[in-house]
Amino acid sequence: MSEFRGSLQTLIVTASAVLITFTSGKNSDFAFNVSLAATTAQYLMVYILMLISYIILKIRHRNLKRSYYMTKNNALGITIAIIALVITVVAFFISFIPAQGTPAYLRGVYIWTMIGLCAIVTILPLVIYHYHHRF
């Protein structure tokens, strides 16, 4: 089962790298910019989920024994997490802005590629999880 997951991940990464690299034409820096921004956006999505989870856990389970405390003060911990969440969401949306040197005709491609890649990495795990008992 883990071999299948590794193969699927390899296939997805290779297909996206080939697609981005060979569709950029003479603008090879475009492929690099999209790859870098897509990776950044994907990591930021994970941080957004972690921060939301932290806030929910601090609100719903404030007396739960933990091995690590950012702070013993619930209000301070939630405030710090909310500030971090706002900064992370802003950074996520900034990653959708094409680099200054991106040609005008590739700006739309950049944005739609970013939306597509973020949708794939969001939806694909949910689909796989939904059908995980069949694998």
Side-chain angles (χ1 to χ4, degrees):
M1 180 142 161
S2 64
E3 292 175 17
F4 173 75
R5 288 181 187 155
S7 299
L8 182 62
Q9 181 179 7
T10 302
L11 180 67
I12 292 168
V13 169
T14 303
S16 62
V18 166
L19 180 68
I20 290 170
T21 302
F22 292 118
T23 58
S24 62
K26 60 185 174 194
N27 297 303
S28 59
D29 59 335
F30 175 75
F32 175 77
N33 288 338
V34 169
S35 299
L36 183 65
T39 303
T40 302
Q42 291 167 17
Y43 277 105
L44 289 171
M45 289 188 319
V46 172
Y47 289 130
I48 289 168
L49 291 173
M50 287 191 311
L51 287 164
I52 291 170
S53 299
Y54 175 81
I55 293 167
I56 290 171
L57 282 173
K58 289 297 269 185
I59 291 171
R60 291 189 183 164
H61 304 285
R62 65 178 64 161
N63 295 326
L64 186 67
K65 184 175 177 355
R66 294 170 169 83
S67 58
Y68 172 78
Y69 289 92
M70 179 172 59
T71 176
K72 296 273 186 175
N73 185 338
N74 260 359
L76 179 61
I78 291 171
T79 302
I80 292 170
I82 289 172
I83 292 169
L85 181 61
V86 168
I87 292 169
T88 305
V89 168
V90 168
F92 175 75
F93 286 111
I94 287 174
S95 71
F96 282 79
I97 299 172
Q100 190 173 10
T102 305
Y105 69 94
L106 285 177
R107 290 181 182 270
V109 174
Y110 174 90
I111 294 169
W112 284 107
T113 303
M114 289 290 294
I115 291 170
L117 290 172
C118 287
I120 288 169
V121 299
T122 302
I123 295 169
L124 189 60
L126 297 174
V127 170
I128 292 172
Y129 181 74
H130 179 72
Y131 294 106
H132 78 283
H133 64 281
R134 295 183 184 169
F135 291 117

